[in-house]
Amino acid sequence: MGNVESLAYFIPELILSVAVLLAILADVFGSEREGLDAPGVIALVGTGLAFYFHFGLYNLAPSPLFMGMIAHDMFSAFFRGFFLLSTLVVIVMTIYSHEVLYLKKGEFYAILLSVCIGMCLVAAAQDLVMMYLALELMSIGSYILSGFSSKVGKSDEAAVKFVLYGGVSTGIMLFGLTLLYGLTGSTSFSAIRGILAGAQGVEPAVYTIFVLVMVGAGYKIAAVPFHFWAPDVYEGAPAPVTAYLSVASKGTGFALLIRFFFSTMIAPGDGGASWIELPNLHIDWTFHIALLSAITMTAGNLGAIPQNNLKRLLAFSGIAHAGYLLMGVCVLSAQGMESVVFYLVAYLFTNLAAFSVIVIIVNAQGDERMADVRGLWARAPYTAIAMTIALISLIGLPPTAGFVGKWYLFIAVLNKNLYWLALIAVLNSVVSLYYYARIIRAMFMDSPSIAQPMRVHPVYAGLLAALTIPVVYFGLFWDPLVRYAKMCASLIK
């Protein structure tokens, strides 16, 4: 499809681009001096409008856009909605967060929206160059956001570590993409798959390329052994930015991994119900990704046990959940893709609810240690209940969306006869019960260190309700979300 015709599919990104410009202009004219966070309001309205118009695109037929550089399909539509919703929640968190109270500049929201545009393009990319440029747009903005509160805590350290780890991993991935271009002579995903399908003796090269690209994708999803940045960056970045990295950045990593891997190195088979190896490529993709899944979830859960900082604990928890999500990728089937989509939606609401509680605690007490949640039930019962629901969902217990998400992942793995992986996942869920239960026990059974009730801004109370209600609703009535996941788990073939 030509460039002009493609603009009809690009409305949400265009709205975000306009909002970026308006947020900067609002900051230039000094609207904050009058007590109005105009850049924040503009970012909120712009993202809300983009989210609204995004729903209209589901009815459009899957098509390659902008001369084949990106694609409109249900997969890209799902991730666009995923990123827009995450951005909306984080903007609300930021407007009322004390950590960025004096830093609410237009550039913060401009960078945040630019990162969102980059994420949407990563999920839709159909070309190596477009994928890399979109990833850089997203990554560079994320580095800046992680160090935005440079005068607070370890924000500088977080940004430096994020840049160093990100630069190295991206460089390695770029080397892999360069090798792929050298091997096939094309940057188009569909052309690459066609060339690899007819090539002879390229197994070692393709396997090397896969490993190099996995360095970049593994870094984004914080998979082992590319996970070392996550705890330090989560701890040092402002809490709203950490929440964004934990959900949207992880979603970008899975969008990149699935889009690239499923569009270039394997082909749809069995009427679209499963993906198969390309002719002449006899690489056991399932085993390699399953092994990465098992190691990642185990390392994440074991690393979370000794943590006493809530953000570091959730960082290791995020590593473990990346391992669970890789279970859905390794089975190479439509059922696996559907389980990934379902689990990502459950994880979005669950993790953002948990981080909203952390933002509330940081606003009230200036820290996010385990000691700061002691007696939370007595000081802010509504917040303690919301945190408990989020933690139960992260464990994977009923009646929450996290339980249903894990159930679908396990079913997909068992249908592939990966019993050993299912057993490791169950054992890891048991381990995770220990460190999540520590937080619940501290909130309900320990005495609070401060006797006064904790003040919770009404906006945060509303935000907690908006995030925790879907966690319970989809744990009881999951069928609508399952149908949505089935609809969204399809790529342009």
Side-chain angles (χ1 to χ4, degrees), residues 161-162 165 219-220 222 226-234 245:
K161 289 183 176 177
F162 204 14
Y165 278 113
Y219 163 77
K220 289 300 175 193
F226 319 110
H227 65 292
F228 291 105
W229 63 275
D232 293 336
V233 174
Y234 276 37
L245 295 176

Side-chain angles (χ1 to χ4, degrees), residues 205-267:
V206 172
Y207 186 75
T208 303
I209 292 166
F210 173 74
V211 171
L212 294 175
V213 173
M214 273 304 297
V215 173
Y219 163 77
K220 289 300 175 193
I221 64 176
V224 174
F226 319 110
H227 65 292
F228 291 105
W229 63 275
D232 293 336
V233 174
Y234 276 37
E235 183 183 4
V241 176
T242 308
Y244 199 54
L245 295 176
S246 72
V247 174
S249 183
K250 192 178 295 295
T252 307
F254 275 98
L256 183 153
L257 173 62
I258 294 172
R259 174 69 76 179
F260 172 78
F261 180 60
F262 283 66
S263 300
T264 59
M265 296 191 173
I266 55 177

Side-chain angles (χ1 to χ4, degrees), residues 173-428:
M173 186 184 75
L174 185 59
F175 182 55
L177 298 181
T178 307
L179 289 179
L180 184 58
Y181 175 72
L183 186 67
T184 62
S186 176
T187 58
S188 167
F189 287 176
S190 58
I192 288 171
R193 181 161 63 190
I195 294 168
L196 291 181
Q200 297 288 338
V202 295
E203 272 186 10
V206 172
Y207 186 75
T208 303
I209 292 166
F210 173 74
V211 171
L212 294 175
V213 173
M214 273 304 297
V215 173
Y219 163 77
K220 289 300 175 193
I221 64 176
V224 174
F226 319 110
H227 65 292
F228 291 105
W229 63 275
D232 293 336
V233 174
Y234 276 37
E235 183 183 4
V241 176
T242 308
Y244 199 54
L245 295 176
S246 72
V247 174
S249 183
K250 192 178 295 295
T252 307
F254 275 98
L256 183 153
L257 173 62
I258 294 172
R259 174 69 76 179
F260 172 78
F261 180 60
F262 283 66
S263 300
T264 59
M265 296 191 173
I266 55 177
D270 193 21
S274 63
W275 276 263
I276 57 176
E277 298 171 348
L278 294 176
N280 307 318
L281 283 183
H282 305 293
I283 302 172
D284 192 350
W285 300 116
T286 294
F287 173 75
H288 291 95
I289 301 175
L291 185 62
L292 181 63
S293 167
I295 295 173
T296 299
M297 69 175 80
T298 304
N301 282 317
L302 294 180
I305 291 175
Q307 302 303 323
N308 286 312
N309 180 289
L310 291 175
K311 287 201 290 190
R312 287 187 70 86
L313 188 149
L314 288 179
F316 280 101
S317 160
I319 295 168
H321 283 280
Y324 296 133
L325 282 161
L326 283 171
M327 292 167 58
V329 178
C330 76
V331 296
L332 307 182
S333 68
Q335 188 181 33
M337 292 272 280
E338 293 158 15
S339 64
V340 169
V341 170
F342 190 104
Y343 200 85
L344 278 173
V345 174
Y347 190 69
L348 181 151
F349 288 109
T350 302
N351 223 39
L352 289 181
F355 272 101
S356 297
V357 173
I358 291 178
V359 172
I360 292 170
I361 293 172
V362 172
N363 281 352
Q365 301 178 191
D367 211 340
E368 67 276 345
R369 298 167 301 169
M370 185 70 77
D372 295 311
V373 300
R374 288 176 182 162
L376 187 63
W377 164 249
R379 300 184 62 206
Y382 177 77
T383 305
I385 291 172
M387 187 62 159
T388 303
I389 292 172
L391 294 176
I392 289 175
S393 184
L394 287 173
I395 296 170
L397 295 177
T400 61
F403 167 74
V404 182
K406 277 190 179 175
W407 173 267
Y408 274 98
L409 285 172
F410 287 162
I411 292 296
V413 167
L414 291 174
N415 284 342
K416 191 73 174 181
N417 298 325
L418 292 169
Y419 301 111
W420 64 272
L421 183 59
L423 177 62
I424 290 174
V426 170
L427 293 176
N428 270 282

Side-chain angles (χ1 to χ4, degrees), residues 12-191:
E13 287 83 356
L14 291 175
I15 293 174
L16 289 180
S17 301
V18 172
V20 168
L21 297 175
L22 293 178
I24 294 174
L25 287 175
D27 190 43
V28 168
F29 288 106
S31 56
E32 274 194 297
R33 296 171 193 165
E34 301 170 4
L36 173 67
D37 185 8
V41 173
I42 290 170
L44 190 65
V45 173
T47 310
L49 283 174
F51 193 54
Y52 172 78
F53 283 101
H54 148 79
F55 285 105
L57 302 182
Y58 280 102
N59 297 324
L60 300 179
S63 308
L65 307 179
F66 297 107
M67 314 297 286
M69 297 299 283
I70 63 174
H72 167 74
D73 52 24
M74 291 302 101
F75 182 81
S76 63
F78 162 73
F79 274 102
R80 184 196 288 119
F82 182 87
F83 299 138
L84 288 172
L85 185 56
S86 305
T87 307
L88 264 178
V89 173
V90 170
I91 290 172
V92 175
M93 279 189 198
T94 305
I95 289 176
Y96 296 96
S97 168
H98 290 184
E99 278 188 288
V100 286
L101 184 63
Y102 302 106
L103 301 169
K104 289 187 293 186
K105 306 293 184 183
E107 60 262 37
F108 180 90
Y109 297 107
I111 294 169
L112 184 65
L113 298 186
S114 300
V115 170
C116 183
I117 295 172
M119 291 174 172
C120 295
L121 292 176
V122 169
Q126 288 282 283
D127 185 276
L128 295 179
V129 176
M130 173 54 70
M131 185 183 80
Y132 177 72
L133 291 177
L135 191 64
E136 284 302 285
L137 174 62
M138 172 259 176
S139 300
I140 293 173
S142 300
Y143 303 151
I144 299 171
L145 291 179
S146 67
F148 212 81
S149 298
S150 58
K151 297 178 182 177
V152 180
K154 301 179 178 178
S155 199
D156 278 341
E157 180 184 342
V160 170
K161 289 183 176 177
F162 204 14
V163 168
L164 291 177
Y165 278 113
V168 172
S169 64
T170 304
I172 294 173
M173 186 184 75
L174 185 59
F175 182 55
L177 298 181
T178 307
L179 289 179
L180 184 58
Y181 175 72
L183 186 67
T184 62
S186 176
T187 58
S188 167
F189 287 176
S190 58

